Amino acid sequence: MEQILFIVAMLMLGSTILLVIAAILSNGVRVFFDLTSNYMRMAVFCFAVYIISFGIYFVINN
């Protein structure tokens, strides 16, 4: 169970980083502060899943 949560957490962190980089490359730095764009909504969602899954992993592992 811990391994699955860790893998999900790392995939979500990677997805967040890739989405932020893609948003910046396609629309410039101004999109970084614009939460109405689809890129940033998905990045915030992936980061929230990362926080939740890593928190659960941390609790289970310790």
Side-chain angles (χ1 to χ4, degrees):
M1 183 70 177
E2 298 102 11
Q3 292 87 6
I4 294 170
L5 284 171
F6 186 73
I7 289 170
V8 168
M10 291 302 112
L11 286 174
M12 288 297 117
L13 182 62
S15 298
T16 301
I17 292 169
L18 287 176
L19 283 168
V20 169
I21 290 172
I24 290 173
L25 289 177
S26 68
N27 297 328
V29 178
R30 64 180 166 80
V31 76
F32 187 70
F33 301 105
D34 184 20
L35 291 179
T36 60
S37 72
N38 289 333
Y39 282 118
M40 294 314 289
R41 273 194 236 154
M42 286 302 296
V44 168
F45 173 76
C46 289
F47 193 69
V49 172
Y50 161 73
I51 297 266
I52 292 168
S53 61
F54 195 72
I56 294 171
Y57 165 77
F58 190 71
V59 167
I60 289 175
N61 199 23
N62 287 331

